Amino acid sequence: MLQHLSIQNVALIRSLSLVLDQGLNVLSGETGAGKSILIDAVNLVLGVRGDRDLIQHGADRAMVEAVFIDARPEINACLEKMGIEPDAEITLSRVLYATGRNVCRINGVLVNNAALRQIAELLIDIHGQHEHQSLLRTAEHIGLLDAFGGKRIAAQRKEVSSLLEKAKHIRQEIENIGGMGEDRERRLDVLRFQISEIERAAIQENEDELLKIERQQLMNGEKIATAYAYVLNCLANEEGQGAVTMLRDASREIRSVAKWDEKAAQLADQLEEAFFAAEAASDEIRLMQDAFEYDPQRLDQIGERLDELQTLKRKYGGTLEAVQQTLAQAYEQLDALQNADQILQRLSGEYQNILHLLYEKSVDLHQMRKKAAAAFEKSVTKELGDLGMQRARFAVQFKQLPAEEQMSVERFTAQGLDEVEFMLSANPGEPLKPLAKVASGGEASRIMLALKNIAARLDGIDCLIFDEVDTGISGRMAQVVAEKMAAIARTRQVICVTHLAQLASMADVHYLIEKQVKGDATQTMVQRLTPTQRTQEVARLLGGEGQSGHGLLHAEEMIAAADAYKKSLAL
């Protein structure tokens, strides 16, 4: 149950600390007092998307903390999976900063929003004025029916889900080795084409880079030829005035005086080395010049070859190395496919057997649901009768199952093959229609309460919050709704925001939400009412002043009758 709620800087709530009890906790107050703000704050700590507009004007952050006690074993197990040590108390907290930053904690451990929601969904169930729409959504119906069906349906669903995962796993294995029938032949054709295309290209190592260098040389052929001729002229021209001849003559001349000057001998050696180097360079340049030939056709050939290589790179990995790897892998896969007939035959047999068993188990699950649906219809019809809809008809509609011959793994879900929708005829003579199409505002609230009263016995959640779900209800129906709420509160903690005196009179604990102006600031305050204050508030909800007269007496009578009714529930 929710034991303590602390709120700071949320809209008009500057600082609020609320201690809640077991049973029926009622919150009431004038319109605009801030009841919706309180629910927004609770939603915030439950992991609902937070809007920075919730932060009180002038504050840099908003904080909400909720403390729960008496957690069920499955909640502690969920905490352990998250790496959070279970405790006697479970504390959820969330801080929303004006900068947009969002900080969530469970028992002081930093978590993300998803983890906060996961735990919150096990601890508390909140229903606002329009929250009945979730119960009217078709997708929610099969889960509620299965919960009503109990352990047998849960076990069958688990078996169906397990078989479905096996079928998907085997189909993936089949796809990994090329699939069955036409799929496999198509894969073989693709592999053969890839191998032929890559091998036909006869790619050489680093061929694209070498071709790019050659292309650049050809594109700059005139400049290269001019450079060769100029350098060769400098080194060894026809007139014998090149650097080679000059270095040879210089080294001979200086050596002729070496016998009189030791340094001249060293210089002669250096000039000879320079002469031999220049002579070698001259020979190399001449060979390069002889070998270089500008060929426009070769330039076209290089362009075509580079285009061919680029196409292969684009198709098979981006580099020539990746293309060669693709070739190797294609050979391996082709070999595996050509020798996989036996494996495929075995997997195909397993797949068909599991698909057949999955269909059988799904049909069994369908029959279990049909049986549970009959009891569920009676239970909902009784609840609706108690809520003033005695002539209403409620039914669980099943979509016809497809024939087994039409089955593929895609047709199944973890819930089997069923598509379930709740149908209602609110008045005699009207045909059954989907809930969302027949429910008026008041009817929707009553349908939601009927379903919730059943669900409360099934989902095991200890804390239920109702935010003015009594909208559109008055008179005798208001009394019936109050009695239903009181009945739910015997086994669950119920927190209810209401404007109905009948519901307020059923409270085990009553809180008043009011707006106060202090200086230039407006604040929402919550106070726990004394018996006298509670009587005055019930009188106000009845339309009286709440101070004296018949309204006060009427309120006292309603509270006394409510207390007597609650005592009868305990018998």
Side-chain angles (χ1 to χ4, degrees), residues 61-77:
R61 72 190 71 180
M63 188 279 289
V64 184
E65 182 178 270
V67 179
F68 295 84
I69 60 172
D70 302 326
R72 304 190 312 277
E74 54 264 40
I75 298 175
N76 288 333

Side-chain angles (χ1 to χ4, degrees), residues 287-431:
L287 290 172
M288 291 168 64
Q289 186 182 49
D290 292 342
F292 182 76
E293 181 181 358
Y294 175 70
D295 184 357
Q297 290 185 344
R298 175 58 181 163
L299 191 59
D300 291 339
Q301 291 171 357
I302 290 174
E304 291 174 1
R305 179 59 172 173
L306 285 173
D307 288 342
E308 180 184 8
L309 296 178
Q310 184 60 32
T311 299
L312 290 173
K313 290 193 290 184
R314 186 171 58 250
K315 291 174 67 174
Y316 302 119
T319 65
L320 290 185
E321 290 80 3
V323 174
Q324 297 288 33
Q325 289 175 2
T326 299
L327 177 63
Q329 292 169 359
Y331 266 120
E332 289 179 8
Q333 292 176 25
L334 182 66
D335 183 63
L337 279 176
Q338 290 173 336
N339 295 282
D341 289 340
Q342 188 174 356
I343 297 173
L344 276 172
Q345 187 175 3
R346 175 180 61 80
L347 289 175
S348 178
E350 287 182 16
Y351 179 72
Q352 293 302 326
N353 288 338
I354 288 181
L355 208 60
H356 174 70
L357 185 58
L358 180 58
Y359 183 80
E360 285 188 343
K361 294 298 181 180
S362 295
V363 171
D364 291 343
L365 179 57
H366 171 74
Q367 296 301 331
M368 291 180 185
R369 285 184 176 131
K370 294 277 282 188
K371 186 175 181 180
F376 185 70
E377 289 169 352
K378 291 180 181 178
S379 183
V380 175
T381 300
K382 180 181 181 303
E383 291 287 340
L384 291 174
D386 292 343
L387 291 166
M389 298 176 69
Q390 293 88 350
R391 312 272 315 260
R393 289 186 298 129
F394 176 85
V396 179
Q397 178 177 280
F398 290 82
K399 189 172 182 179
Q400 185 174 355
L401 296 185
E404 185 173 4
E405 303 80 54
Q406 302 172 330
M407 295 315 309
S408 65
V409 73
E410 289 82 10
R411 298 290 296 271
F412 294 92
T413 71
Q415 300 172 155
L417 290 168
D418 280 318
E419 294 181 38
V420 171
E421 185 168 17
F422 294 164
M423 310 291 285
L424 182 76
S425 170
N427 301 296
E430 294 182 356

